Amino acid sequence: MIEFPPGLILVLGALLMPVVGGMGSRVLSLLLPLATLAAVWMVPDGAHVTMPFMGDMELTLVQWNPPTRVFATIFSLMAFGGALFAFNQDRKIELPAAFVYAGSAICVTFAGDILTLFLFWELMAVGSTIVVFSGNTEAAGRSGLRYAAVHFLGGAIMMAGIIAHVFALKAGGIEHPLLLKYFQFGPGGFDGLAFNGAGDIAPFLILIGILINAATPPFGSWLADAYPEASESGTVFLSAFTTKTSVFVLMLLFAGTEVLIYAGLMMAVYGIVYAILENDMRRILAYSIVNQVGFMVCGIGIGTEMALNGAAAHAFAHIIYKALLLMSAGSVLYMTGKRKCTDLGGLYHTMPVTMWCGIIGALAISSFPWTSGFISKSMISQSAADNHLMLAWFVLTAASAGVFLHAGIKFPWFVFFQKDSGLRPPDPPWNMKAAMIFFAFLCIALGIWYEPLYAILPYQNAAGGDKLYEPYTISHVISQLQLLLWSGLAFFLLLPVLKRTLTITLDFDWFYRTFAPGLWRHVLRPIVVVMGWTRDVLVDESKGFARAMTRADAEASRLSLFREWSLGSAMVLITFMLFVYLVVGFWT
């Protein structure tokens, strides 16, 4: 029996990699994720590993939560694929930090108490921040600082909610207040709150902290700010863990919370709008992450077993095809040094492997039949229809069309086709091609042979029958092909409008990147300067007055009025003044 969180294999192995160094470190980077994947599947059903904490409490380090197997499995696969893609890079810090990041995400999925979950949640933030900094550019440094500030703020808000709820549970006589079962708010514990005490605001603080990590607007601009500034391989790692771990935690704690339906719909639309406006290919795909996570968050808000299965399956599929798309974009950046669509085009001539892998990823994210997106995303839309949530169904369907516009067609068209940019780079090194081919294979294999994925979804009786879900019905295939056909037609009809120019897209981060510094420079700082000048003047004048009074003491002491009075004389004077005050107050 495995008596430790499997993710610790990656976390502790990451500490060995700089010591081993050279080719040994690179080989270790491929073996560690495979060992972690094996350990995940070696944890027996019903495993429960605890350790004492602060005397009367305990931490649950290993526990099977309903979605644990599906998330821990894909996190391990992603760590392997990312390591293979980064096999040729020589950055000594990035890959160990990425393994700390990935291993911590896996540990979160096995956590059985809120404190263990939070500790590994924050360790993820540390590892991912280092990955951003490893981009080794000035822009990466600035983005890394903003990324760290946002995530540690979210962590502080989440911890405030955890502390408030733990104290409320302790006051209610709960013996083990850290257990996750006491933090599963859902509709009963969230929508029905009455704000009768500090514990009542706890779910809202915890939810806000999670939504910040999930990149929910208006908190989500950190994603498109930071991810594109990481290295080619760093962005691949970043795309997989933070937002999907947030999906996992939302699924555990807030399944069925209605507000998440509307938060998810907002994310789906927001991601499409900004992705369509973008000129930077990696920012297009970054905003696409927000769009796709919106589908998952909406499914969690719907809260039925079918919707939760759909959110878990879509997270699994999304990690694969999004990593594939970012590998394709990263390969282009690695070989050309260019990121903007206006600088690219015609790369199909000399980068055929990168092009075809990018196209497969684009088809998968667009839910093309016989790809991984087709067998996962439709479970969420079908759940919305089954529960008569027509607004959710309509927005999700429209968002599916928008996905094909911005990621399914726009990314491969502007990068590999459109105009001939004159660039003739070859395909990237063998390891980068191998990673892309591996993930492209998974996209197609899952679309055709989806039963193994369905077998590890958290709720096996969601459909109430022998088959969990049947994606390949005639109506579903035809309707999806029609949707993609009309979306593709709209793209080429609107191509003159969608053609990218050298523009900058303003997001919510404008408020803390531009507005707040401008407010400080032009408004607050002048006020502070004036106040400081006024204080200095007053202090100087007071000192001068004090010196003048000191010089006058010798002369003033000769006057009877300034001589030291006895206590009796002082009391007589005070009594007389109070009497005068009372008389005047009475008559007026």
Side-chain angles (χ1 to χ4, degrees):
M1 174 181 173
I2 300 278
E3 295 191 354
F4 59 89
L8 286 181
I9 296 175
L10 281 175
V11 175
L12 298 179
L15 303 180
L16 290 176
M17 291 174 62
V19 177
V20 175
M23 183 55 67
S25 176
R26 297 184 180 186
V27 173
L28 191 63
S29 71
L30 298 180
L31 296 179
L32 287 173
L34 295 178
T36 303
L37 178 61
V40 167
W41 282 85
M42 289 173 62
V43 176
D45 295 337
H48 192 76
V49 178
T50 63
M51 64 175 290
F53 177 71
M54 294 181 65
D56 60 338
M57 292 189 286
E58 64 179 20
L59 301 181
T60 305
L61 302 180
V62 177
Q63 171 181 294
W64 278 114
N65 300 302
T68 293
R69 195 179 297 276
V70 63
F71 279 88
T73 298
I74 188 56
F75 286 166
S76 302
L77 283 173
M78 180 62 229
F80 173 77
L84 179 58
F85 189 76
F87 191 80
N88 67 315
Q89 60 101 341
D90 57 357
R91 288 177 287 273
K92 293 181 174 57
I93 300 298
E94 179 183 287
L95 200 52
F99 276 9
V100 170
Y101 178 34
S104 300
I106 295 171
C107 290
V108 167
T109 67
F110 279 96
D113 67 89
I114 196 67
L115 184 57
T116 300
L117 185 151
F118 180 79
L119 291 176
F120 285 113
W121 178 277
E122 289 301 290
L123 189 56
M124 283 176 57
V126 174
S128 57
T129 299
I130 297 174
V131 172
V132 176
F133 280 128
S134 297
N136 291 330
T137 63
E138 183 180 351
R142 293 196 302 266
S143 295
L145 290 174
R146 292 190 292 268
Y147 179 90
V150 170
H151 282 276
F152 290 124
L153 172 64
I157 294 172
M158 187 175 176
M159 176 51 76
I162 291 171
I163 292 173
H165 195 61
V166 167
F167 275 110
L169 292 172
K170 290 287 282 186
I174 300 299
E175 185 177 359
H176 299 292
L178 296 178
L179 294 179
L180 276 182
K181 66 180 182 179
Y182 297 119
F183 289 80
Q184 293 172 349
F185 302 105
F190 183 83
D191 294 338
L193 293 179
F195 289 103
N196 294 319
D200 287 341
I201 201 173
F204 292 92
L205 295 176
I206 294 172
L207 181 62
I208 290 172
I210 299 171
L211 290 179
I212 289 175
N213 264 32
T216 305
F219 312 119
S221 53
W222 59 263
L223 193 153
D225 175 33
Y227 284 11
E229 302 305 332
S231 69
E232 298 86 356
S233 53
T235 302
V236 173
F237 279 104
L238 291 168
S239 71
F241 301 110
T242 299
T243 51
K244 263 59 75 182
T245 305
S246 301
V247 168
F248 172 86
V249 177
L250 285 174
M251 194 177 299
L252 279 185
L253 306 186
F254 292 100
T257 301
E258 186 178 2
V259 69
L260 292 180
I261 297 176
Y262 304 104
L265 297 179
M266 179 174 61
M267 293 174 72
V269 174
Y270 162 91
I272 289 172
V273 171
Y274 275 91
I276 290 176
L277 293 174
E278 263 300 332
N279 184 35
D280 186 317
M281 64 177 176
R282 297 216 294 176
R283 283 177 66 89
I284 291 172
L285 299 177
Y287 279 118
S288 179
I289 294 175
V290 180
N291 160 263
Q292 294 294 290
V293 173
F295 281 83
M296 305 169 209
V297 172
C298 182
I300 295 169
I302 294 172
T304 64
E305 290 187 346
M306 178 67 75
L308 295 176
N309 279 345
H314 196 47
F316 192 102
H318 168 76
I319 288 174
I320 295 172
Y321 62 64
K322 182 58 65 177
L324 177 58
L325 285 166
L326 285 167
M327 286 177 181
S328 178
S331 297
V332 170
L333 176 61
Y334 184 81
M335 300 307 296
T336 67
K338 299 182 183 298
R339 292 168 40 173
K340 296 191 180 296
C341 294
T342 47
D343 298 331
L344 296 168
L347 300 183
Y348 72 92
H349 292 289
T350 55
M351 300 185 73
V353 174
T354 305
M355 177 199 70
W356 282 112
C357 289
I359 289 175
I360 291 173
L363 292 175
I365 196 175
S366 305
S367 299
F368 194 85
W370 304 286
T371 65
S372 55
F374 183 81
I375 58 95
S376 61
K377 189 187 298 182
S378 57
M379 297 172 72
I380 302 172
S381 301
Q382 186 62 47
S383 298
D386 291 344
N387 289 273
H388 309 291
L389 301 170
M390 298 313 297
L391 175 63
W393 179 86
F394 178 80
V395 174
L396 292 177
T397 303
S400 297
V403 170
F404 192 48
L405 283 177
H406 77 261
I409 301 181
K410 177 181 175 179
F411 166 70
W413 174 258
F414 284 114
V415 173
F416 297 107
F417 302 102
Q418 63 148 347
K419 62 181 176 65
D420 188 349
S421 62
L423 299 172
R424 293 294 184 269
D427 274 315
W430 70 268
N431 62 292
M432 301 174 83
K433 290 188 289 186
M436 288 191 288
I437 292 171
F438 173 57
F439 274 29
F441 167 77
L442 290 179
C443 284
I444 297 174
L446 280 174
I448 298 172
W449 189 36
Y450 52 86
E451 288 84 1
L453 173 58
Y454 284 7
I456 62 173
L457 293 179
Y459 303 102
Q460 289 299 306
N461 296 317
D466 296 333
K467 203 168 182 81
L468 186 67
Y469 176 70
E470 177 51 67
Y472 287 103
T473 62
I474 294 177
S475 61
H476 182 209
V477 172
I478 292 177
S479 63
Q480 187 64 18
L481 288 175
Q482 286 178 331
L483 182 70
L484 297 177
L485 176 64
W486 288 107
S487 300
L489 178 62
F491 176 85
F492 287 105
L493 289 177
L494 298 173
L495 191 56
V497 179
L498 295 174
K499 188 175 181 180
R500 300 318 311 137
T501 57
L502 293 173
T503 56
I504 297 176
T505 305
L506 297 180
D507 202 343
F508 286 100
D509 59 347
W510 176 84
F511 286 99
Y512 60 80
R513 294 180 61 178
T514 302
F515 176 75
L519 182 66
W520 165 252
R521 286 194 302 268
H522 302 299
V523 179
L524 298 180
R525 189 172 182 275
I527 293 175
V528 171
V529 170
V530 171
M531 292 178 64
W533 176 80
T534 305
R535 181 204 60 190
D536 293 342
V537 170
L538 291 176
V539 169
D540 291 342
E541 291 297 326
S542 299
K543 290 180 179 179
F545 180 75
R547 287 193 296 269
M549 291 299 295
T550 302
R551 288 195 301 269
D553 277 349
E555 298 179 5
S557 62
R558 292 195 296 268
L559 301 175
S560 60
L561 181 63
F562 293 97
R563 291 174 185 169
E564 184 177 346
W565 285 30
S566 65
L567 178 61
S569 301
M571 292 300 297
V572 170
L573 177 61
I574 292 172
T575 303
F576 175 75
M577 293 177 65
L578 286 174
F579 174 76
V580 172
Y581 174 79
L582 290 174
V583 171
V584 173
F586 177 79
W587 289 107
T588 58

